[in-house]
Amino acid sequence: MQGRRLATTEEIIAIVSPDSDDVVARLAAWADDRGIGLSTVDVGESIDEVYDGNRATLGVTIGGDGTFLEGIKTFAPRGVPQLGVNTGTLAFLSRIEPEDLEAALDEVIHGRATIDSRQQVAVRGPGLEATGINDVMIEHVPPENPIDRKITRLDVYADDEYVGEFEGTGIAVSTPTGSTGVSLSANGPIHYPANNHTLQLVPLHTHQLGVRPIVVSPETELRIRTQGPASLLVDGGRANALLEEGEEVLVTGAERLAHVVHTSYDDHFFTAISKKLGWDVRGDDEPPRVPASRSETGVDGDGLLERARTIATEAAEAAGEPLRELHGQVESVGVKSDKSDIVTEADYQANRIITTVIENEFPDHGIVSEEHPRDVREGGYTWVVDPLDGTGNFAHGNPNYSISIALLEGEYPVVGVVYVPETDELFSAIAGQGARRDGDPIETTDRDRLDESMLISGYDPDGSFLTRFYQETRGVRRLGSTALNCCYLASGSADATWEYDTYPWDVAAGLVIAREAGARLTDERGEPFVFELETEGRSALLGSNGPLHPALLEHLEGGRDDCER
């Protein structure tokens, strides 16, 4: 999940521990000042009555790590990102101090926070099926006589491979988030938890030499079979069961990840551990805070354009998330009106994320979009946005749609970013600096013969382009996204592209990318294509690798002459 998406937060749900009234009051005042809804629930209460899946929601926990874990249990199944405010004592998970609450939240709603995904653990055994964020522990059952032997034996398998017999107090299967708790106390490793999707198996007070912690992928199925009675605990007992001899427990990574929000006001992970466990080797010196975003520093000239490309990239990738989610729903919807609602919602969500991010980062720039009031800055900078290019494809479950974002200097496009959510491809360019796909330089082909070339057609109302070129080339394809057509020309996936008419938001980004890759762009008569933001007439676009252009114009001209005769 992209942190930029947080800029569209509409609602906050806070899970609150006792004795947090002062912090809750400050949160309520902050939310009221910014027109953001706020609902509070006590730890352990359901949020069903206040949660609306159609609203962009941020989860906040106010308390210690116990409250944070309740938040994970509540928010993770709903895909809601979570921010932890620490009013507890020994907290490794909630790392924002109350005095930084307002500043941290301002960073969040400006889209400058980050979100990391946390691996959860799924466990299934006799009488229990649960998900945890920290660990699964299988331990000995305390004997009735306290002087009796406190030992358990467990056989462990990783997928179908026998790992071995573990004899001792028990074992813990921890996520990286849980590696600072039980795992650490048993001399297991500390795992940096952000976007770390491993599981670790740690023996608890082993009675055997040669038994070491083991790290596995979340897809690995750990089967644990008891040789005697044992106790099963998930996240310190939030779910638990007693196991009999010969019973088996299956532990693997949970499919649903938890999403944890971090700001520049968080205590750093290793700093928090060092302080709270008395390991601080820095003394009283604080480590330097890392800015939440590279975009916080204002720059001019080429630096501004590079910053613009960075912000446009982050905005496009953030907008791609709801598009992918909604695109997955289209194929299962059979009613045309329902599909239309999904497409409308997709357009709205993507546009809102992009324009909010741009407005936060570049308040002096204008924005032009199909879904946004026109705001053109004459002589200044204007953004041109198409949040969903290829609407027809999207509505039919076709993956050929894209997000197009361009920056104009005056009336000239100077930055272009096109993102393809379904393939995770990113095309970008800055005027005078070349074009890239996923960071790598791209350029057009050098073919000059029609019979060796592949063409792409955009809108072709009477099929004339297809008629003139289909037999003369290796094929004419129609993808249904003007921005993608320009990018595929730029990257050499096609040798030429044709658009009978264009809209500014469809082509603004693609023009920068194609030009910087070496393409030649004209109208149907060979005159240089002129980008116009304010246009009422038809603007045809013929783009090619350059060497092929004369042959294309000749065939287009010949076709017109035949029609005129």
Side-chain angles (χ1 to χ4, degrees):
M1 182 178 288
Q2 288 284 332
R4 290 289 180 184
R5 192 173 176 181
L6 295 172
T8 60
T9 298
E10 300 170 283
E11 182 79 19
I12 292 175
I13 298 177
I15 295 178
V16 181
S17 67
D19 302 322
S20 299
D21 292 347
D22 290 346
V23 179
V24 172
R26 287 168 51 200
L27 174 60
W30 177 91
D32 185 62
D33 286 346
R34 289 153 184 80
I36 295 174
L38 172 65
S39 299
T40 60
V41 297
D42 292 334
V43 175
E45 289 187 358
S46 171
I47 68 168
D48 288 345
E49 291 187 5
V50 297
Y51 174 66
D52 181 353
N54 295 317
R55 291 174 65 80
T57 302
L58 171 69
V60 173
T61 61
I62 301 175
D65 280 357
T67 306
F68 190 92
L69 290 173
E70 284 297 310
I72 293 290
K73 181 179 176 181
T74 300
F75 295 127
R78 297 171 171 87
V80 173
Q82 173 177 332
L83 182 77
V85 180
N86 176 33
T87 59
T89 52
L90 188 65
F92 295 108
L93 301 174
S94 301
R95 301 211 301 270
I96 292 178
E97 297 303 318
E99 58 266 26
D100 294 324
L101 173 68
E102 291 86 353
L105 287 170
D106 281 338
E107 200 170 276
V108 169
I109 66 167
H110 280 85
R112 293 172 181 161
T114 59
I115 300 177
D116 71 65
S117 62
R118 298 292 182 92
Q119 181 64 52
Q120 297 200 90
V121 62
V123 57
R124 187 170 70 248
L128 183 144
E129 187 167 347
T131 300
I133 186 65
N134 269 348
D135 49 54
V136 175
M137 294 173 57
I138 301 178
E139 300 180 286
H140 72 281
V141 177
E144 292 183 8
N145 187 342
I147 65 172
D148 286 349
R149 197 174 187 214
K150 304 176 183 66
I151 297 296
T152 187
R153 291 185 179 89
L154 302 167
D155 291 313
V156 178
Y157 300 79
D159 293 329
D160 294 326
E161 185 172 345
Y162 183 55
V163 177
E165 179 186 75
F166 286 70
E167 181 183 20
T169 304
I171 60 174
V173 180
S174 302
T175 68
T177 301
S179 69
T180 54
V182 173
S183 170
L184 181 58
S185 70
N187 294 316
I190 298 175
H191 277 222
Y192 186 65
N195 303 311
N196 182 346
H197 301 153
T198 58
L199 298 178
Q200 55 186 10
L201 188 151
V202 178
L204 302 177
H205 305 109
T206 180
H207 288 230
Q208 293 179 345
L209 293 175
V211 177
R212 295 290 183 268
I214 298 168
V215 178
V216 299
S217 77
E219 291 79 21
T220 302
E221 291 187 346
L222 293 171
R223 289 189 294 115
I224 303 163
R225 184 177 299 153
T226 63
Q227 294 186 20
S231 171
L232 171 63
L233 304 174
V234 181
D235 280 355
R238 284 177 170 79
N240 59 83
L242 287 176
L243 306 175
E244 301 296 333
E245 180 180 349
E247 291 187 325
E248 192 171 274
V249 176
L250 178 66
V251 182
T252 189
E255 291 185 9
R256 175 73 72 172
L257 301 175
H259 300 294
V260 178
V261 179
H262 290 302
T263 74
S264 63
Y265 295 90
D266 290 35
D267 282 337
H268 294 197
F269 174 71
F270 292 107
T271 301
I273 292 175
S274 298
K275 282 183 176 180
K276 290 165 185 175
L277 296 182
W279 294 350
D280 196 353
V281 296
R282 293 178 177 269
D284 295 329
D285 294 335
E286 289 287 335
R289 292 199 182 276
V290 178
S293 170
R294 289 169 292 176
S295 64
E296 293 186 55
T297 305
V299 288
D300 298 315
D302 290 343
L304 184 144
L305 300 186
E306 186 58 56
R307 178 187 169 210
R309 171 160 59 184
T310 298
I311 299 305
T313 296
E314 293 173 358
E317 290 176 341
E321 291 176 352
L323 291 187
R324 278 192 298 270
E325 294 164 6
L326 292 166
H327 184 258
Q329 299 176 25
V330 168
E331 295 181 6
S332 61
V333 173
V335 180
K336 184 177 180 180
S337 59
D338 290 345
K339 286 189 176 184
S340 177
D341 289 344
I342 291 175
V343 174
T344 300
E345 179 66 16
D347 231 336
Y348 168 77
Q349 285 198 31
N351 191 75
R352 185 164 178 261
I353 289 170
I354 295 166
T355 55
T356 301
V357 168
I358 291 172
E359 287 169 343
N360 283 338
E361 298 296 340
F362 301 100
D364 296 330
H365 293 188
I367 301 177
V368 172
S369 166
E370 285 183 287
E371 314 294 330
H372 190 276
R374 294 177 70 86
D375 179 14
V376 179
R377 302 297 166 95
E378 302 291 344
Y381 290 99
T382 301
W383 293 83
V384 181
V385 176
D386 190 347
L388 180 51
D389 184 37
T391 306
N393 287 343
F394 184 92
H396 287 84
N398 187 304
N400 290 307
Y401 64 90
S402 63
I403 297 167
S404 175
I405 305 175
L407 177 64
L408 311 186
E409 186 172 4
E411 298 182 354
Y412 189 78
V414 291
V415 176
V417 168
V418 174
Y419 179 59
V420 192
E422 297 300 322
T423 61
D424 198 30
E425 287 179 289
L426 180 79
F427 299 88
S428 70
I430 296 174
Q433 297 186 27
R436 306 176 187 172
R437 177 176 60 194
D438 298 331
D440 298 323
I442 55 175
E443 60 183 19
T444 59
T445 66
D446 59 1
R447 299 186 185 95
D448 59 3
R449 292 168 54 95
L450 284 174
D451 61 0
E452 296 177 347
S453 300
M454 174 73 72
L455 312 187
I456 299 177
S457 171
Y459 179 54
D460 185 18
D462 58 5
S464 59
F465 186 83
L466 179 66
T467 301
R468 294 170 198 167
F469 289 100
Y470 190 78
Q471 297 296 334
E472 305 294 328
T473 64
R474 289 188 173 177
V476 178
R477 303 289 184 261
R478 184 174 180 188
L479 303 180
S481 168
T482 304
L484 272 183
N485 293 351
C486 291
C487 291
Y488 288 156
L489 168 63
S491 60
S493 297
D495 302 290
T497 183
W498 161 254
E499 298 287 342
Y500 176 81
D501 60 4
T502 59
Y503 293 99
W505 42 83
D506 289 338
V507 296
L511 290 176
V512 186
I513 295 167
R515 280 176 176 149
E516 289 303 309
R520 181 181 175 187
L521 304 170
T522 72
D523 62 16
E524 70 265 46
R525 298 187 182 277
E527 296 297 322
F529 182 85
V530 178
F531 177 82
E532 294 181 273
L533 193 55
E534 305 284 351
T535 179
E536 299 295 334
R538 182 174 78 88
S539 298
L541 171 64
L542 178 65
S544 80
N545 59 6
L548 195 63
H549 221 80
L552 293 168
L553 289 170
E554 181 181 348
H555 272 67
L556 281 175
E557 186 67 30
R560 277 196 303 273
D561 292 343
D562 291 342
C563 291
E564 291 171 0
R565 288 196 295 270

